Amino acid sequence: MMKSVYIKTYGCQMNVHESEKMYAAFAADGVGHAEKPDDADIIVLNTCCVREGAETRVIGNLGLVKKLKERRHDLIVAVCGCMTQQPDVAEKLHKRCPFVNIITGTYKLGKLPEMTRRIENGEKYICDLEKTETTERGINKAERTDKTGAFVNIMYGCDNYCTYCIVPYVKGKERSRNSDDIETEVRMLIGCGYKEITLLGQNVNSYRDGNTDFVRLLDRLSSVDGDYWIKFLTSHPKDLSDDVIRLISERPTLAKYIHLPLQSGSDRILSLMNRKYDLSSYMRKIDFARSLMPDIGLSSDIIVGFPTETEEDYLLTENAVERVQYNNLFTFIYSRRSGTPAASMPGQVDENTKKERISRLIDVQAKTAAAKAAACVGRTYRVLCDGTENGKSKGKTSEDRVIIFDGGTPGEFTNVKVLSAKNSKLYGKAVN
């Protein structure tokens, strides 16, 4: 009987894609895909450590896995990813959860099938946190969980060392994939019918493979024949170039959407964060993008309650959010991550103040998003249908606006007229 694996994913799209690649590695080893933990012979927790809450959820889920292990002693349990790559975390996890068979970090994910075979052959515990790259440099093999959109890694790691962020310490320095391999993978996905390709990297704008920088890579990929659009995550404001923005405005195959994390509207806080830009330079990029694409979709990340943040600093952030008028805003309360410079900074902001400020910011964004959605009523958009909701089609516009509508075919582009709006969501019907 074929064995099966269940992978629980925490964190961002990059982790989702890493899990897709792990499923593919297990499939190549003759291991099937379990839909739920109870049906699995192998359970993998693919962790994230960017936010403290993700770690808390991992520990909580391990409690549930422990109960499964008590009933099925041959169940193999693995914990991998960012969380375990942190100093001392693996040792603490092993002491707290001795039923975990395998602990590995971000560099050895492709070796998990081999590690599980070693456990099956009698080893009780494997811990491999060596920082030697095992990620293949050819075409990424992944068991895609979505048949409309696909993720493509273009680089790994980060060199920016923002003072609040643990990522450079657990994912290592920036490594860019071969541009020919990326183009081959994108061509293959488009040929298989995928309509939305999302390029992934901690800072895609610093991509470089020989003479191919990010704008040259986008130029190559967006020139491939077919009906699709390309998005990318994530951009760093200090590196997003006018050439990239200009290319987005010119190419119909590049989605008219940019996720550009601001993090704070206070120059003082941005300096403490080591972000290497100020508000005026950020706004110049926003203004330039809007001058070429007035309807461009914009989203951002904001951290509230960074050490020493005053009410005046917070209000600068709130004012920046109101000025930009984002489609979507991802807001976070500052979370101390052990090993980062910000964790030991004086002036840590109390939790009640953080919660009060983030609540205010969420209210500001909700009003903005509702007003922007209302302004879409009566307009017609080209929409990629990527699912259903309450019996109707669901999709996104090139600007990343979500719309629920009558008509449409999953996985295809459809012209949709917006008939109404509720909060930030649009409602409409397919038209010829």
Side-chain angles (χ1 to χ4, degrees), residues 38-301:
D38 302 50
D39 299 333
D41 302 289
I42 305 161
I43 294 177
V44 179
L45 275 61
N46 184 14
T47 67
C48 175
C49 66
V50 175
R51 309 291 171 194
E52 186 176 17
E55 292 189 30
T56 302
R57 289 193 295 275
V58 170
I59 298 301
N61 282 331
L62 278 172
L64 300 175
V65 173
K66 181 182 179 182
K67 294 179 181 178
L68 288 176
K69 183 87 170 184
E70 288 170 349
R71 297 199 304 268
R72 295 164 46 207
H73 298 296
D74 59 346
L75 177 67
I76 296 175
V77 180
V79 181
C80 64
C82 299
M83 186 182 106
T84 55
Q85 198 75 60
Q86 298 174 92
D88 304 323
V89 167
E91 182 180 354
K92 293 176 183 176
L93 181 62
H94 181 52
K95 289 180 179 178
R96 183 170 182 173
C97 303
F99 60 89
V100 173
N101 303 102
I102 300 168
I103 297 178
T104 189
T106 61
Y107 291 78
K108 302 291 184 178
L109 302 183
K111 295 288 187 181
L112 275 171
E114 175 187 318
M115 293 179 192
T116 59
R117 288 199 305 274
R118 287 166 56 188
I119 297 296
E120 289 170 343
N121 290 333
E123 289 190 52
K124 300 297 183 184
Y125 173 63
I126 297 171
C127 181
D128 187 347
L129 302 176
E130 184 184 0
K131 293 183 177 181
T132 302
E133 190 72 70
T134 61
T135 303
E136 75 294 331
R137 289 307 179 189
I139 307 306
N140 272 331
K141 299 177 179 63
E143 184 176 305
R144 309 283 175 177
T145 55
D146 188 328
K147 300 306 180 186
T148 301
F151 298 123
V152 174
N153 282 110
I154 67 168
M155 60 189 302
Y156 304 90
C158 183
D159 290 347
N160 287 305
Y161 291 92
C162 301
T163 57
Y164 54 81
C165 186
I166 196 72
V167 168
Y169 304 96
V170 296
K171 288 188 176 291
K173 296 184 70 62
E174 289 178 353
R175 292 95 69 200
S176 295
R177 285 182 65 202
N178 178 275
S179 57
D180 292 337
D181 288 342
I182 295 170
E183 182 178 345
T184 299
E185 184 175 356
V186 168
R187 285 183 179 276
M188 176 189 69
L189 291 167
I190 293 170
C192 289
Y194 285 90
K195 301 297 186 182
E196 179 180 270
I197 311 296
T198 303
L199 309 179
L200 297 177
Q202 296 298 144
N203 178 16
V204 293
N205 298 106
S206 60
Y207 173 89
R208 180 168 288 278
D209 174 40
N211 293 325
T212 303
D213 59 8
F214 186 55
V215 70
R216 288 187 175 90
L217 180 68
L218 276 184
D219 182 32
R220 287 173 60 179
L221 301 182
S222 62
S223 299
V224 175
D225 289 338
D227 191 14
Y228 62 92
W229 62 43
I230 291 174
K231 297 180 177 179
F232 51 86
L233 295 169
T234 293
S235 289
H236 196 298
K238 72 179 178 63
D239 295 318
L240 177 64
S241 69
D242 288 355
D243 287 340
V244 167
I245 295 172
R246 192 175 292 109
L247 187 65
I248 293 171
S249 72
E250 295 170 351
R251 291 287 169 84
T253 51
L254 293 176
K256 305 303 181 269
Y257 165 73
I258 300 175
H259 180 70
L260 195 63
L262 173 62
Q263 304 299 8
S264 175
S266 163
D267 287 346
R268 186 182 72 84
I269 295 296
L270 288 173
S271 178
L272 289 174
M273 289 177 167
N274 193 36
R275 291 292 286 173
K276 299 184 177 70
Y277 58 85
D278 57 19
L279 182 63
S280 64
S281 64
Y282 181 94
M283 289 299 181
R284 191 202 68 77
K285 294 177 191 289
I286 296 294
D287 292 342
F288 180 65
R290 282 236 166 92
S291 72
L292 299 179
M293 298 168 283
D295 293 330
I296 187 172
L298 296 167
S299 62
S300 186
D301 297 340

